[in-house]
Amino acid sequence: MQECLQFLRGVWYNHGMRNEYLRALDEYFCALYSDYVRLSAIEGYVMPDVLYVASDGNVARRDASCMRLCYQKDCEGLLKKFKASLADTTFTFSFAFPTLRERISDRFRKTSFARLLPEALRHCGDTVQGAGEKLAVEPRFWKRIAKGSLYPEKNTVLALALVCGMQWQDVLNLLAVCGYEFRADEVRDVVVRYLIENSIFNARMRDECLAEYRITNLPIARARESA
């Protein structure tokens, strides 16, 4: 990934008029995004040689990461085409109902979303109530999510991480106990990961990055934040 980033910095060095954090997001995305079926479908994408002759004379296979956009000669043009085709298809309700088996299991688990949430919020200087006010989730449902009687959907956990400025490891832990993980083949996940890893929690900057990749379904209470 570092090799990709160095290459892209050379390609886009002269584009100083663009906000630095958006340019950095593009670099990060091209180096990490891994839906190779979707990438190879972009008009003008050149399929790299995956097979090669190794030093011992045997035919070897390169890692699939060689198919990422950062290795394409026209990386910037391909990314522009890719962005033009984007639409956010990640809509979900803010919560899901646990099954009876899951509710019983939660009573004996040492880790669950409800148990990890207060500590994760404490690390970023927030509270359960304060976090709920920053989310576009009805208060009655948020209270049940925080208590563990409802499970948060992935979009809700990601939105929570962004509006509260959570630490990376805390986000990973909260996702894991809900049965989720960050996926490099999901546009939403790559962009959110960039924001968290680089601590870009300013509402305007965050929303510009999300809009750049047409991510619209995170339940963030933007109106309240901009007041």
Side-chain angles (χ1 to χ4, degrees), residues 138-161:
E138 286 189 43
R140 60 191 175 114
F141 293 132
W142 171 246
K143 289 179 181 178
R144 293 184 63 184
I145 291 173
K147 290 180 179 178
S149 60
L150 294 176
Y151 287 173
E153 291 285 5
K154 188 174 185 179
N155 269 347
T156 304
V157 180
L158 297 179
L160 178 68

Short mmCIF file of all heavy atoms in Angstrom, two decimals, residues 138-161:
data_model
loop_
_atom_site.label_atom_id
_atom_site.label_comp_id
_atom_site.label_asym_id
_atom_site.label_seq_id
_atom_site.Cartn_x
_atom_site.Cartn_y
_atom_site.Cartn_z
N GLU A 138 -33.92 7.56 16.06
CA GLU A 138 -34.91 7.96 17.04
C GLU A 138 -34.42 7.64 18.45
O GLU A 138 -33.91 6.53 18.69
CB GLU A 138 -36.24 7.25 16.79
CG GLU A 138 -37.00 7.78 15.58
CD GLU A 138 -38.40 7.19 15.51
OE1 GLU A 138 -39.07 7.11 16.57
OE2 GLU A 138 -38.80 6.79 14.41
N PRO A 139 -34.56 8.59 19.39
CA PRO A 139 -34.06 8.37 20.75
C PRO A 139 -34.53 7.08 21.40
O PRO A 139 -33.77 6.41 22.10
CB PRO A 139 -34.58 9.60 21.51
CG PRO A 139 -34.68 10.66 20.46
CD PRO A 139 -35.11 9.93 19.22
N ARG A 140 -35.79 6.69 21.16
CA ARG A 140 -36.30 5.47 21.79
C ARG A 140 -35.58 4.23 21.27
O ARG A 140 -35.36 3.27 22.02
CB ARG A 140 -37.81 5.35 21.55
CG ARG A 140 -38.23 5.27 20.10
CD ARG A 140 -39.74 5.43 19.95
NE ARG A 140 -40.15 5.48 18.57
CZ ARG A 140 -40.88 4.53 17.97
NH1 ARG A 140 -41.30 3.48 18.65
NH2 ARG A 140 -41.23 4.66 16.71
N PHE A 141 -35.18 4.27 20.01
CA PHE A 141 -34.45 3.13 19.46
C PHE A 141 -32.99 3.16 19.91
O PHE A 141 -32.39 2.12 20.18
CB PHE A 141 -34.53 3.11 17.94
CG PHE A 141 -35.93 2.84 17.42
CD1 PHE A 141 -36.48 3.63 16.42
CD2 PHE A 141 -36.69 1.81 17.94
CE1 PHE A 141 -37.76 3.39 15.94
CE2 PHE A 141 -37.97 1.56 17.47
CZ PHE A 141 -38.51 2.36 16.47
N TRP A 142 -32.41 4.36 19.97
CA TRP A 142 -31.02 4.47 20.41
C TRP A 142 -30.88 3.97 21.85
O TRP A 142 -29.92 3.28 22.18
CB TRP A 142 -30.53 5.90 20.30
CG TRP A 142 -29.18 6.11 20.94
CD1 TRP A 142 -28.88 6.88 22.02
CD2 TRP A 142 -27.94 5.49 20.54
NE1 TRP A 142 -27.54 6.79 22.34
CE2 TRP A 142 -26.94 5.94 21.44
CE3 TRP A 142 -27.58 4.61 19.52
CZ2 TRP A 142 -25.61 5.53 21.34
CZ3 TRP A 142 -26.26 4.19 19.43
CH2 TRP A 142 -25.29 4.66 20.32
N LYS A 143 -31.83 4.29 22.71
CA LYS A 143 -31.77 3.83 24.10
C LYS A 143 -31.78 2.30 24.16
O LYS A 143 -31.06 1.69 24.95
CB LYS A 143 -32.95 4.40 24.89
CG LYS A 143 -32.84 5.89 25.17
CD LYS A 143 -34.05 6.39 25.93
CE LYS A 143 -33.95 7.89 26.18
NZ LYS A 143 -35.15 8.41 26.89
N ARG A 144 -32.58 1.70 23.29
CA ARG A 144 -32.65 0.23 23.27
C ARG A 144 -31.38 -0.38 22.69
O ARG A 144 -30.93 -1.44 23.13
CB ARG A 144 -33.88 -0.22 22.50
CG ARG A 144 -35.21 0.14 23.16
CD ARG A 144 -36.39 -0.42 22.40
NE ARG A 144 -36.37 -1.89 22.38
CZ ARG A 144 -37.25 -2.62 21.71
NH1 ARG A 144 -38.20 -2.03 20.98
NH2 ARG A 144 -37.17 -3.94 21.74
N ILE A 145 -30.79 0.30 21.70
CA ILE A 145 -29.51 -0.16 21.15
C ILE A 145 -28.44 -0.11 22.23
O ILE A 145 -27.67 -1.05 22.42
CB ILE A 145 -29.09 0.70 19.94
CG1 ILE A 145 -30.02 0.45 18.75
CG2 ILE A 145 -27.64 0.41 19.55
CD1 ILE A 145 -29.79 1.38 17.57
N ALA A 146 -28.38 1.00 22.96
CA ALA A 146 -27.37 1.17 23.99
C ALA A 146 -27.54 0.17 25.13
O ALA A 146 -26.56 -0.21 25.78
CB ALA A 146 -27.42 2.61 24.53
N LYS A 147 -28.78 -0.26 25.37
CA LYS A 147 -29.03 -1.22 26.44
C LYS A 147 -28.88 -2.67 25.98
O LYS A 147 -28.83 -3.58 26.80
CB LYS A 147 -30.43 -1.01 27.00
CG LYS A 147 -30.59 0.28 27.79
CD LYS A 147 -32.01 0.43 28.32
CE LYS A 147 -32.17 1.70 29.14
NZ LYS A 147 -33.56 1.88 29.62
N GLY A 148 -28.83 -2.87 24.67
CA GLY A 148 -28.62 -4.21 24.13
C GLY A 148 -29.86 -4.95 23.72
O GLY A 148 -29.78 -6.10 23.28
N SER A 149 -31.03 -4.32 23.81
CA SER A 149 -32.26 -5.00 23.40
C SER A 149 -32.48 -4.92 21.90
O SER A 149 -33.31 -5.63 21.34
CB SER A 149 -33.48 -4.43 24.15
OG SER A 149 -33.64 -3.06 23.88
N LEU A 150 -31.74 -4.02 21.22
CA LEU A 150 -31.69 -3.96 19.76
C LEU A 150 -30.22 -3.98 19.35
O LEU A 150 -29.36 -3.49 20.09
CB LEU A 150 -32.35 -2.68 19.22
CG LEU A 150 -33.85 -2.52 19.42
CD1 LEU A 150 -34.30 -1.15 18.91
CD2 LEU A 150 -34.63 -3.62 18.71
N TYR A 151 -29.94 -4.55 18.19
CA TYR A 151 -28.58 -4.57 17.68
C TYR A 151 -28.42 -3.46 16.64
O TYR A 151 -29.28 -3.28 15.78
CB TYR A 151 -28.27 -5.90 17.01
CG TYR A 151 -28.08 -7.06 17.95
CD1 TYR A 151 -27.94 -8.36 17.46
CD2 TYR A 151 -28.03 -6.88 19.33
CE1 TYR A 151 -27.76 -9.44 18.31
CE2 TYR A 151 -27.86 -7.96 20.19
CZ TYR A 151 -27.73 -9.23 19.67
OH TYR A 151 -27.55 -10.29 20.53
N PRO A 152 -27.30 -2.72 16.67
CA PRO A 152 -27.08 -1.69 15.64
C PRO A 152 -26.68 -2.32 14.31
O PRO A 152 -25.95 -3.31 14.29
CB PRO A 152 -25.93 -0.86 16.22
CG PRO A 152 -25.16 -1.84 17.04
CD PRO A 152 -26.18 -2.77 17.64
N GLU A 153 -27.16 -1.74 13.22
CA GLU A 153 -26.69 -2.16 11.91
C GLU A 153 -25.30 -1.55 11.67
O GLU A 153 -24.87 -0.64 12.37
CB GLU A 153 -27.66 -1.70 10.82
CG GLU A 153 -29.00 -2.42 10.83
CD GLU A 153 -28.92 -3.84 10.28
OE1 GLU A 153 -27.79 -4.29 9.96
OE2 GLU A 153 -29.96 -4.49 10.16
N LYS A 154 -24.62 -2.04 10.66
CA LYS A 154 -23.24 -1.59 10.41
C LYS A 154 -23.18 -0.10 10.14
O LYS A 154 -22.28 0.60 10.64
CB LYS A 154 -22.63 -2.36 9.24
CG LYS A 154 -21.15 -2.09 9.04
CD LYS A 154 -20.56 -2.99 7.96
CE LYS A 154 -19.05 -2.81 7.85
NZ LYS A 154 -18.46 -3.70 6.82
N ASN A 155 -24.14 0.43 9.37
CA ASN A 155 -24.15 1.87 9.09
C ASN A 155 -24.22 2.68 10.37
O ASN A 155 -23.62 3.75 10.47
CB ASN A 155 -25.34 2.22 8.20
CG ASN A 155 -25.00 2.15 6.72
OD1 ASN A 155 -23.84 2.08 6.34
ND2 ASN A 155 -26.01 2.19 5.87
N THR A 156 -24.96 2.19 11.35
CA THR A 156 -25.10 2.90 12.62
C THR A 156 -23.78 2.92 13.38
O THR A 156 -23.39 3.95 13.95
CB THR A 156 -26.20 2.26 13.48
OG1 THR A 156 -27.43 2.22 12.73
CG2 THR A 156 -26.43 3.04 14.76
N VAL A 157 -23.07 1.80 13.40
CA VAL A 157 -21.79 1.74 14.09
C VAL A 157 -20.78 2.67 13.41
O VAL A 157 -20.04 3.40 14.09
CB VAL A 157 -21.24 0.30 14.12
CG1 VAL A 157 -19.90 0.25 14.84
CG2 VAL A 157 -22.23 -0.64 14.80
N LEU A 158 -20.75 2.68 12.09
CA LEU A 158 -19.82 3.55 11.38
C LEU A 158 -20.15 5.02 11.60
O LEU A 158 -19.25 5.85 11.81
CB LEU A 158 -19.84 3.23 9.88
CG LEU A 158 -19.38 1.82 9.49
CD1 LEU A 158 -19.47 1.62 7.98
CD2 LEU A 158 -17.97 1.54 9.97
N ALA A 159 -21.43 5.36 11.57
CA ALA A 159 -21.84 6.74 11.83
C ALA A 159 -21.46 7.15 13.24
O ALA A 159 -20.97 8.26 13.48
CB ALA A 159 -23.34 6.89 11.62
N LEU A 160 -21.67 6.25 14.19
CA LEU A 160 -21.32 6.51 15.59
C LEU A 160 -19.83 6.82 15.72
O LEU A 160 -19.42 7.75 16.42
CB LEU A 160 -21.69 5.30 16.44
CG LEU A 160 -21.35 5.35 17.93
CD1 LEU A 160 -22.21 6.39 18.62
CD2 LEU A 160 -21.56 3.98 18.56
N ALA A 161 -19.01 6.04 15.04
CA ALA A 161 -17.56 6.24 15.10
C ALA A 161 -17.17 7.61 14.58
O ALA A 161 -16.29 8.27 15.13
CB ALA A 161 -16.86 5.14 14.29
#
